[in-house]
Amino acid sequence: MADKKTNFNKPAIGLEQQLDLLIQRGLVVPDRAKALHYLRHIGYYRLSGYGLPFQKRGLALPPHTFQDGVQFDTLLDLCIFDRELRLLAMDAIERIEVAARAAISNTLSERYGPHWYLDKGLFLRHRQHTKFLDEVKSQTRFQAQDGSVQHKKRETFIQHYFRKYHRPELPPSWMVAEILSIGTWSAVYSNLANRSDKKAICDPFPLSPRTFQSWLHAIAYLRNLCAHHSRLWNRRFTITPEVPKEYQQYMNPNTTFYAHAAMLHILMNVIAPDSRWRHRLLELLQQHPDAPAAKMGFPEDWWKDTFWDIG
């Protein structure tokens, strides 16, 4: 039976009280001024979240009691590490996103023409296709009149299309590809009716259409986490990539960041085989020994496996 709900009545407290509460719970704070500075600019709720794995468990203990010797700087280092990890993940995601939307746009433009996306016959669910067209119209400011504020917000190449052409009403696929998110393109791919189209799109990648579709969805979710500054360290992901048999050793369980890092590495090997992304991942982990890689699913000495090709 679920716990009975009650009203939220916790009061907001000031920075000094926030720090006193952390100290009362056993966090070691050698430099009070420094701690207050970071509480002001990071926030108590965000910073204290990194301390949850370092707290004691037991019914006889007060809630959120820290393990002996846990330092404020440990939580701060985790916060800094997590930020750098998000930036590193986004570096790979950016290149994968550009490659994925190019694969979709190029393949279907060659098969069905520059405005293939207007043909609802290419899609399984017509309602979802209509929703996609609404998104295209929104992002291109389709309803804007010349000289309006909305018109001025258009990308230059979109402005050029609307100034020069009146049919078709919307720009060609390669222009649209530049203004829509990976989440939107993931939905487009999953809604394609013809399996041969899906197969042709994912042909450059060592994946089946089903796995490629799953990975696009997982990458869109990971991108949103990074864009909204959400925690990656110690996270158990709820939207996860499908695990092909050949990658089970590196992606099971698929709820960890290690599985997602393996996914990014596999795709980066296709898109940018000379990239040092995997080396930078190792360097980042080595620079932050207080951020236990095991909490993200990384096996001991993971970089020595030939899969990562770090050497």
Side-chain angles (χ1 to χ4, degrees), residues 90-269:
M90 282 296 289
D91 179 61
I93 290 168
E94 176 190 344
R95 285 184 270 189
I96 293 167
E97 178 175 354
V98 169
R101 69 192 191 190
I104 294 171
S105 178
N106 292 345
T107 300
L108 297 179
S109 293
E110 289 176 11
R111 288 188 167 204
Y112 305 108
H115 288 83
W116 58 268
Y117 67 88
L118 298 176
D119 183 359
K120 68 179 181 181
L122 297 179
F123 299 91
L124 289 169
R125 296 171 290 279
H126 292 171
R127 182 177 296 180
Q128 189 171 323
H129 175 248
T130 300
K131 183 178 177 181
F132 168 70
L133 291 183
D134 289 341
E135 176 69 8
V136 174
K137 291 175 182 178
S138 173
Q139 294 301 320
T140 59
R141 274 74 181 184
F142 173 70
Q143 300 295 343
Q145 300 297 317
D146 286 357
S148 71
V149 173
Q150 286 296 309
H151 169 73
K152 292 175 183 177
K153 290 182 180 179
R154 287 173 177 162
E155 292 280 0
T156 302
F157 56 89
I158 299 294
Q159 291 184 32
H160 172 75
Y161 182 85
F162 283 129
R163 279 199 305 265
K164 188 168 183 179
Y165 305 102
H166 61 89
R167 288 289 184 275
E169 291 182 319
L170 291 169
S173 172
W174 50 81
M175 291 186 186
V176 170
E178 293 295 319
I179 60 174
L180 298 181
S181 69
I182 184 64
T184 300
W185 287 114
S186 171
V188 167
Y189 184 83
S190 69
N191 196 30
L192 290 174
N194 191 332
R195 192 178 187 279
S196 72
D197 289 340
K198 288 185 172 183
K199 190 174 185 306
I201 289 166
C202 73
D203 190 57
F205 306 94
L207 305 170
S208 69
R210 174 175 161 172
T211 300
F212 187 70
Q213 179 173 312
S214 168
W215 285 22
L216 285 182
H217 187 40
I219 288 168
Y221 174 60
L222 177 59
R223 186 193 188 283
N224 285 340
L225 290 175
C226 294
H228 290 92
H229 324 301
S230 300
R231 176 174 47 82
L232 299 184
W233 181 77
N234 198 34
R235 172 179 288 275
R236 289 297 174 264
F237 291 79
T238 54
I239 295 178
T240 56
E242 180 178 276
V243 182
K245 289 182 180 179
E246 61 268 33
Y247 300 126
Q248 285 186 0
Q249 180 181 347
Y250 311 103
M251 296 183 67
N252 270 331
N254 63 352
T255 55
T256 66
F257 180 77
Y258 180 70
H260 287 70
M263 172 183 67
L264 297 180
H265 169 58
I266 291 164
L267 294 174
M268 285 288 284
N269 264 348

Side-chain angles (χ1 to χ4, degrees), residues 50-105:
Y50 289 97
L52 294 177
F54 300 98
Q55 293 175 354
K56 297 178 180 178
R57 301 289 183 267
L59 296 176
L61 294 170
H64 306 297
T65 299
F66 283 94
Q67 299 166 7
D68 295 342
V70 178
Q71 301 268 335
F72 181 89
D73 280 357
T74 298
L75 307 193
L76 180 59
D77 183 69
L78 280 171
C79 189
I80 294 169
F81 163 77
D82 204 30
R83 174 183 174 275
E84 293 174 347
L85 184 64
R86 286 192 298 272
L87 292 173
L88 182 63
M90 282 296 289
D91 179 61
I93 290 168
E94 176 190 344
R95 285 184 270 189
I96 293 167
E97 178 175 354
V98 169
R101 69 192 191 190
I104 294 171
S105 178

